[in-house]
Amino acid sequence: MSEFIYLASQSPRRSQLLQQLNVRHELLLPNVAGDVVEDAEAIEAVLPHEAPRSYVQRVTGLKLDAAAARLSRRGLPLAPVLTSDTTVALGQEILGKPADAAQAQAMLRKLSGQTHEVLTAVALQNGVQRLQALSVSKVRFMAMSDAQIDAYVASGEPFGKAGAYGVQGLAAAMIEHIEGSYSGIMGLPVFETAQLLRQLGWKI
């Protein structure tokens, strides 16, 4: 069993959650100097009529494919590779990362006073073995005024986050109810991740 894993994610929250499990990890990030340029936007593009659960699991698999190729290409020491993807779904509508303030405001207006799903898929590859898990949680926002939404967007927190919010930040003051995995909503479900690592022999 390896003494560490590679985390193929730029999210500091995922790194923090692995630290919570006392899992030693090293980042395996795309687009480093001298390497092949990877198109993250193409990987995260939604297919026509794609359901949120299918989408998040497909994208996570593609991220893992890219990370495994990255590991091989760079000739790094072999170790398990972990990837994850989080999406927010209001019904069958996928709410990704907002491109600008107007898009963030529009997303938050849709979520205001509603219950939505947060889906986080996790995939772990060890040699030819690939393990996957899916965490599904429900989040209800209070009815937010335009002024509250504008102030939140002005904080800068919505950018780079699916659904235009971060549960661990200022948005917590507007969330009425959560059902499911708090860590999954943050971006890496600790329970499911620990289960996958246990299958590889990790003592967690």
Side-chain angles (χ1 to χ4, degrees):
M1 186 186 77
S2 174
E3 294 182 353
F4 73 99
I5 67 170
Y6 289 107
L7 172 62
S9 171
Q10 301 188 56
S11 164
R13 296 169 297 280
R14 290 185 178 126
S15 184
Q16 291 164 6
L17 290 165
L18 280 178
Q19 289 171 8
Q20 185 178 324
L21 287 173
N22 290 323
V23 173
R24 187 178 150 230
H25 59 283
E26 295 183 10
L27 297 181
L28 181 62
L29 302 181
N31 301 337
V32 300
D35 198 4
V36 174
V37 175
E38 298 179 26
D39 189 348
E41 287 188 9
I43 287 177
E44 295 182 358
V46 181
L47 299 177
H49 312 298
E50 190 168 25
R53 294 187 187 209
S54 300
Y55 166 78
V56 75
Q57 293 179 95
R58 181 181 63 81
V59 169
T60 301
L62 290 175
K63 286 184 174 182
L64 188 52
D65 291 341
R70 205 177 302 150
L71 179 65
S72 174
R73 193 168 59 240
R74 294 178 188 170
L76 296 169
L78 295 179
V81 180
L82 178 74
T83 60
S84 185
D85 189 71
T86 300
T87 197
V88 168
L90 186 60
Q92 290 299 299
E93 182 181 2
I94 294 169
L95 301 180
K97 299 169 185 173
D100 53 33
Q103 200 171 81
Q105 290 164 340
M107 286 185 188
L108 291 163
R109 287 192 187 101
K110 286 182 178 181
L111 296 178
S112 176
Q114 302 294 322
T115 298
H116 63 271
E117 285 190 333
V118 179
L119 306 98
T120 297
V122 185
L124 183 66
Q125 182 142 341
N126 185 40
V128 296
Q129 183 181 20
R130 180 172 290 205
L131 306 171
Q132 299 181 64
L134 177 66
S135 167
V136 181
S137 300
K138 294 184 178 180
V139 178
R140 180 173 180 81
F141 270 103
M142 69 181 216
M144 296 177 284
S145 68
D146 285 347
Q148 287 172 316
I149 290 172
D150 291 348
Y152 180 59
V153 173
S155 75
E157 191 174 280
F159 301 105
K161 297 179 177 67
Y165 76 93
V167 68
Q168 73 285 354
L170 296 169
M174 299 179 285
I175 293 173
E176 287 184 1
H177 183 74
I178 288 174
E179 179 184 328
S181 168
Y182 183 83
S183 59
I185 298 166
M186 281 182 67
L188 187 71
V190 169
F191 177 76
E192 285 82 356
T193 301
Q195 281 190 313
L196 297 185
L197 288 167
R198 288 185 191 113
Q199 290 184 57
L200 296 186
W202 287 70
K203 306 297 183 186
I204 298 175

